[in-house]
Structure formats: structure tokens, C-alpha cells
Amino acid sequence: MKKITIIGTGVMGHGIGQLYAQHGCEVTLYDLNDEALNNARSMITDSLSAMISKEIISEEDMKETMAHLSCTTDLKKAVDGAEMVVEVVPEILSLKLDTYRAIEALVSEKTVIASNTSAIPLTELTQGALHPERFIITHYFAPAQIIPLVEIIQMDGVTDPKLLKEVEVFLKMCGKSPIILKKEVPGFIANRMQMALMREAFWLYENGIASAEDIDTVIKDSLGFRYVFLGPLEGQDIAGIGTTYNVGLKLFPVLDDTKVPHAFLKEMMDNNTVGIRSNKGFYEYTEESGKEKIRKRNDNFLEVFKLRNKQLGK
Ligand SMILES: NC(=O)c1ccc[n+]([C@@H]2O[C@H](COP(=O)([O-])OP(=O)(O)OC[C@H]3O[C@@H](n4cnc5c(N)ncnc54)[C@H](O)[C@@H]3O)[C@@H](O)[C@H]2O)c1
């Protein structure tokens, strides 16, 4: 996978493009207009600069990475000779289907088409595809250039098994930690677990059990602290299965099991209290403090990234 095209260079696409360029691929970024492409370039520059300041990469690495990146608003040029095309357009099925139709008309039969969809099953993404066997989902987490996990989703009996292996090996070469789902399931794995946790966090907040700050502290200073290096199931082996079984007997019946997102979230949306972008969510922000929060988040992620690489001997 030496020549890769990224279709859609927003929050996720620019990071995926950066990652592949950092690992020596020739990456073409494609978006609808120059403004989107300029934004992507500047996000990549900022991200690489932050990596230099943390001594994760050198100035020379940054130059090389930038030299591997090119931008275009011409789809034909963008996909010309691509071995893999990564679709990272908004989560709207019809938009994704139109995009695949346009791509398949331009690329060779061998070109891999990977989607970063958060939730749309491959069976829906490939309706109308000329070659469904070359489609795959590679689901990244933001920021894609930093967070190691990539969930790979295939279609049993349709996806070419050689392709599956090739994508897995390629992602490992890019320093990622890919996992292949044995069966397709809505939300894949990480978002299912994240949403189960969010449902309970929202319930605790809605019922006044603790403040937003304290709920966040509980996760950051307990589960989050552990989970970087110890998954929930291996953790059970250390704790002993019996303890969790007994706790489960007491707690499972009283955990939140609402089937729709909590009403207060809709109220927050109606009041434009949607987080940093409206200067108010669970917390209050100014323009500056909101930006600082995101900068600090990225900075902390890079520290964990370094620590993790050190542990893995990278
Ligand atoms: N944001 C996240 O945290 C996240 C995480 C995992 C997966 N995803 C998934 O990744 C995909 C992209 O999400 P995002 O957050 O990067 O969206 P985004 O809105 O930030 O970026 C989408 C980009 O696609 C471009 N675009 C729109 N229509 C296009 C077209 N027809 N051709 C080419 N480019 C087009 C837009 O100009 C924009 O730059 C979605 O499927 C989303 O569900 C997002």
C-alpha cells in the first residue's frame, strides 16, 4: 500500500492521511474545495509540530512527511494509480454511496476501498458496488494519527481474505493496533463499550448523584488510569471472576438501561449548550479556554503515546 488517496479531509481524514504519509506512503488528499484542503494541511502541520516539540519525530521527519502529501479537488487525479482509497466523508449513507460510485468508475479492480464509517454496516455501504470484495471498514479514533486502535470490519464470505490480512499487516506497519471483528455488530466494539459507559454517566449526572467534574474525575483517576495498560477482561483475571459475578448480581438489575438518549441531552441541544463549540456544555468555556482545553488534550495524548511506544519498545 504505497499510494493512498484520502477522500474527505476533515476531523478524521487529515489525521489518517498524516499517519500514512508519516509511514512513507504517497498520500493524496481530496476534498470538495481548497479551503477544506488548506485546513487539513494546517491541522497536519500543527500536529507534526506538536510531535516535534515532544521529541516523537524530528524536523527532518516532518519535512519528509509533508513531501509525501499532495492535495487536489480533482477526483480523477486524486485516485489515479491509488492502491487504497480511504473514504472519510460525513456519516450520510447516500453521500458515501455516491462517493463509491464515483471512485469505482475511476479506479482499477484491484484498488482497495476502505471506509471510516462510525456505524454503517458494510452490507449497506456495498449496495450497488461493482466489486464488494474490495471494500473494508477501517474505523479510527480521533485523533487518528495518535490513538492506536483501528477496528477492521469485513463481510463474511464476501471480503477477500487476502485483503483482510494485507490491511492488518499494513496498519501494524503504521504503528497501529488493528483488531478484526469476527462478526459485524452495530457500533463495532469500542463505541458499544463507550456508549454503555456514557449511558451510565448520563444517568448519574441526571439523577444528581455527583457533579460533572466528579463523574469525570472518577473515570480519569480510576478506570481510565487502568485501561491504558490493562483491558477490562484481563483485569478480571487479576481481580478474580467470582468477585465481579457477585457484584454483577447486585448491580446489573439497577444499572441504567434506557433505550433512548437521556432527555436532558436534547434540552442541552435545544439550548445550544453543545460543548466547546458553543462555549457551554457540561462546563463553561471562553473562546480561549476552549482552545486551550483541546491543546492540552492533544498534549496529554502525546505523552501517553510516548509512554506506550516506550513500553512496546518502539
Ligand atoms: N469525528 C470523529 O471523532 C469520528 C471518529 C470515527 C469515525 N468518524 C467517521 O469518519 C467520517 C468522517 O467524519 P469527520 O468527523 O472527519 O467529518 P468532517 O465533517 O470533519 O469531515 C468530512 C470531510 O468530508 C468532506 N466532504 C463532504 N462531502 C464530500 C464529498 N462528496 N467528497 C469528498 N469530500 C467530501 C468535507 O468537506 C469535510 O472536509 C464519518 O463517517 C464519521 O462517522 C468520525
Side-chain angles (χ1 to χ4, degrees), residues 8 10-12 30-31 88-91 95-96 116 118 139-140:
V11 173
M12 297 305 289
Y30 168 84
D31 210 303
V88 206
V89 304
E91 190 79 348
L95 179 61
K96 290 188 186 285
N116 188 52
S118 301
H139 181 233
Y140 278 81

Side-chain angles (χ1 to χ4, degrees), residues 6-14 16 30-33 35-37 39-40 43 75 87-92 95-96 98-100 115-120 138-144 188 191 277 297:
I6 308 290
I7 308 286
T9 60
V11 173
M12 297 305 289
H14 84 276
I16 298 171
Y30 168 84
D31 210 303
L32 297 177
N33 50 54
E35 195 192 344
L37 290 171
N39 268 340
M43 285 190 282
L75 185 63
E87 170 277 301
V88 206
V89 304
E91 190 79 348
I92 303 164
L95 179 61
K96 290 188 186 285
D98 287 348
T99 306
Y100 303 143
S115 173
N116 188 52
T117 179
S118 301
I120 306 174
T138 47
H139 181 233
Y140 278 81
F141 292 79
F188 315 139
N191 277 337
R277 68 190 67 181
R297 175 203 75 158

Side-chain angles (χ1 to χ4, degrees), residues 140-203:
Y140 278 81
F141 292 79
Q145 68 278 30
I146 299 175
I147 306 285
L149 182 71
V150 184
E151 291 174 313
I152 302 180
I153 295 97
Q154 55 157 335
M155 256 185 309
D156 222 12
V158 178
T159 311
D160 180 354
K162 266 199 346 243
L163 163 66
L164 199 61
K165 192 74 211 155
E166 199 184 345
V167 169
E168 185 188 23
V169 168
F170 172 70
L171 290 173
K172 281 187 181 161
M173 189 279 287
C174 292
K176 289 296 178 192
S177 163
I179 63 113
I180 299 174
L181 268 70
K182 290 184 186 166
K183 291 182 196 168
E184 203 171 13
V185 64
F188 315 139
I189 296 181
N191 277 337
R192 286 184 78 93
M193 292 204 275
Q194 172 166 252
M195 280 297 147
L197 176 68
M198 289 314 304
R199 179 161 61 183
E200 192 57 37
F202 292 146
W203 185 90

Side-chain angles (χ1 to χ4, degrees), residues 271-292:
N271 296 331
N272 194 29
T273 308
V274 293
I276 287 178
R277 68 190 67 181
S278 65
N279 288 342
K280 196 163 187 241
F282 289 98
Y283 302 87
E284 293 201 7
Y285 307 90
T286 60
E287 193 101 337
E288 261 324 292
S289 72
K291 279 189 191 149
E292 178 57 19

